[in-house]
Amino acid sequence: MMSFIWFLIIGGVLGWLAGVILGRDVPGGVIGNIVAGIIGSWIGSALLGNWGWQVSDFYVFPALVGAIILIFIVSFIMRSFKKAT
C-alpha cells in the first residue's frame, strides 16, 4: 500500500515539474499532474529506457522527459481545439 502512495506522489511531482519546465498548466490540476507523471514515465521508459535515479517505480530522468513530451502534446492539442471554436 505504501508503494502505491509513493507512486502517486512521485507521479504528481514529476507531472508538476514538467508543467513548470514547459510553463504550461496540465489540464485537471493535481489529478492531471499525477496522470502526466505516470503516463510520462511510461513514454520516457519506452523512448529512453530505464536508467538514472530510481524513486519508487520511476526512473526520474526518463519519466520527466516523457512527462514533458506528453504535456507539450496535450497542450498543443488543447490549444488547437480552442482556436477551432
Side-chain angles (χ1 to χ4, degrees):
M1 180 64 175
M2 195 62 175
S3 68
F4 180 70
I5 293 171
W6 274 111
F7 186 73
L8 293 177
I9 291 171
I10 300 300
V13 169
L14 287 172
W16 169 79
L17 189 59
V20 168
I21 290 171
L22 282 177
R24 298 187 171 136
D25 289 334
V26 178
V30 174
I31 302 297
N33 284 336
I34 292 171
V35 170
I38 292 170
I39 295 175
S41 172
W42 178 74
I43 292 170
S45 294
L47 295 176
L48 301 174
N50 295 329
W51 55 276
W53 295 325
Q54 182 178 7
V55 179
S56 185
D57 290 334
F58 293 97
Y59 287 90
V60 175
F61 186 73
L64 184 59
V65 170
I68 289 171
I69 291 168
L70 177 69
I71 292 171
F72 181 77
I73 291 169
V74 168
S75 65
F76 180 76
I77 291 170
M78 296 296 281
R79 197 172 336 131
S80 296
F81 281 132
K82 279 186 178 180
K83 287 182 181 178
T85 58

